[in-house]
Amino acid sequence: MRNIKERGERAPAVGAPGGGPAVLVVEPLLPQRIRRPSDALRFLVTLLALVAVILLALVAKKTLNGLEADVTEGTRRVPFLLSGLVGVLGGGAMLAIPAAYAVERVIHRDGLRVAEGLFAAIAGMVLSFVLGEWIIAAGAEDLRLLLTGGRAGVEPLNTLLTSVIAYTTAVRISNRPTWRAALWTAVAVNAVALFAGLAATVLGIVVSILVGLSVGYATLYGVGSPNTRPPGSAIVAAVRKLGFHPVKARRLDDDHQGSRRYAVGLRDGSRLDVTVLDRDRQVAGLLYRLWRRIRLSSETRRKAIRSLRAELEREALMAYAAHAAGVGTPRLVGTSEIGSDAALLVYEHISTRALEDIPDEEISDDLLAQIWEQVLLLQVQRLAHRRLTGDSIHVDDEGRVVLMDARSGEIAAGDILLSLDVVQLLTYLSLRVGAERAVRAATTVAGPHTLASALPLLQRIALTRETRLALSKDKALLPAIRERIVELEPRAEAETVRLERFRPKTLFTIVASAFAAYFLVTYLARTNLNAITSADWRWTGVAFAAAMLSYVAAALMLMGFVPERLPLGRTVLVQFAGSFVKLVAPAAVSGVAINTRYLQRRGIPPGQAVASVGASQLVGLAFHITLLVLFAYVTGSGTAASFTPSRTLVFVLLAVAVLVLFLMGVPRLRRMVTSRVRSLFSGVVPRLLDVLQSPRKIAEGFTGTLLLTVFFVVCLDACVRAFGGDLNFAAVAVVFLAGNAIGSAAPTPGGLGAVELSLATGLTLASLEPGTAASAVLLFRLLTFWFPVLPGWASFAYLQRNEAL
């Protein structure tokens, strides 16, 4: 016992009914207070709601202003005595209810909760005052008018309302239905009185409530909540009520979901394994589960959150079903709720070792076969395990396989869930013993057809988090597994099934596009669109011709890097189709994708098609950099004799050199850059060597690459001159080359927003009047981005109809 106390653990003695022998419970001291993940989640949700309300109010500000005007007019007809009476009742109730609840808590010796509430009230009051002063002094004008109605003396955030909401949230008054109903009734009456009395606005009231809620939840999470988890003694008492006779209990390590586990020794010398489900752990990992639920298709996702009762019933049902199917799994012998905050499941103990604790060299072919036999028993009964990893697959003392962790499973599972189990187990075992042995063992037991059926689901997103992390160190494993399966079943469907609703990169592109569209609309709103009609039609015609000829140059560029013969007309149509695809993909991605697809449809093997497009992109990049440096050098020259480069060019070159040194000096970044470049241009050099054997192809490719840039520069220069601007051609070229580089790097469709901003800024810095620069850029983008969309769509449809794309 002395050793237990020295380790900071406790061993309470739990007496049996009727004065029986005491039960020794060994477990770490449970903390008196805990931070509940649910409080952090509610805080985040409240902040998101606050941001959403403010953004919605800014969008619908005319509607809110109209509502304010109607209320102002209506309140003039309300008798002063009535409005004053409502205000007094609302304000009095707002103060009386929290005070009465504080008295009730103090009587029940729960004064600490009241103190936490007072701390939250003070924090809410200070925060609302500071935010209100900032909004009045330096906040956005539209937001200030929405929160105050433009009336002097109106607080942007109602200090009393914010502090009361923060207090009642921190004391958890929402857990008491009667008190909760009384409080929100008082809040509603007070809000109506404030609104009718022109002492607050609708947005001000809503924002005050949300700020109060966020302060209350932040306080709850910051100071923690009293620990309501039942201790080990309560666990032992619940086990005894199930008809067992425990004599000792010991806390084990928590499982992967954070649930407590106990080893309970019985009077007859046997042992029980007890899993405790705590209510406050129900939302642990909820954000990750919600992300997976949103990202994955409905067939693969798990439930985001369940009640304590539902979680208990789910695990129990899965345990009973697995045992009835003849699967080697611990037998569930009892379940019970422990009050309202916990529940437990009692299993017979089986002495086992987890597969993750067994060295790789001890994993025999017989053990692999046993694992697959157990999984097939589940599959026959349409039971999906959903977590076939090293911590859920165990081996007992006699070498038999035991499957643990029934809580993650599904009964009456569909084909996709069953195939996901096959994929997960196959990948995990391949990580342990290699792809060849794992596939061979699975084929021996399950047959090649089972593996072939699961092949379309063999992708990282379908695996558990731990397995995906392990795969990051062996990226060649999944292709190796796929190759082994195809060797066994050549007619297997190798094309992957789309499990994701969207990819994170797609979400990032959508968000970036939304911001770009917002800035573009703002930019256009500040531009005099009528100026477009005043453009010199002769220079506009030159710009239009140059824009159209750029598609012919792009076609020549592609044709020059493909040893096979390509028709000029159809290749030009492909470039027009690329202008349509740019609406939904970044500029650097859309051209590569559509050209590669076109070459493949022309009968060129995928590897050679990618290499050809990569070669054209590589040479185009070299031309781009060379022309940028050349024109920047010319632009910065003082005279033809001196030809001294500008300071800006020197600074840019030094910055690029520093960036290159940094990338090459950090080993991790160097490996990342070299691997990306190697994977992108792995077949480019052989393809270039094929092209260099034909002088005609060299001339065609290099001429097209040069003309592509020249035509775009001519187009931009003509747009500048169409509005009376007069810039050096070299300066216009530098502006275009720099702006095009930024647009290609931007993750928005066609560089939307980034190109406009960079070109307009560059022309302005080149001494062009801002209004002229904006009009010139607008005309340039109309001719090169927006106008080709319609012919691009027609070309795309024509090429698809003729199976050229």
Side-chain angles (χ1 to χ4, degrees), residues 106-156:
V106 171
I107 293 175
H108 288 82
R109 299 183 178 181
D110 196 9
L112 182 59
R113 182 182 300 189
V114 177
E116 295 168 1
L118 291 176
F119 173 80
I122 295 172
M125 182 179 297
V126 172
L127 180 61
S128 62
F129 175 77
V130 172
L131 287 177
E133 291 298 314
W134 175 79
I135 290 171
I136 292 175
E141 182 67 17
D142 290 342
L143 184 60
R144 183 182 64 80
L145 291 176
L146 289 171
L147 289 173
T148 63
R151 298 185 291 271
V154 176
E155 294 179 311

Side-chain angles (χ1 to χ4, degrees), residues 16 97 103 151 182 189 300 302 449 662 728:
I97 292 175
V103 172
R151 298 185 291 271
V189 172
T300 61
R302 292 184 174 91
H449 178 71
F662 176 73
N728 183 280

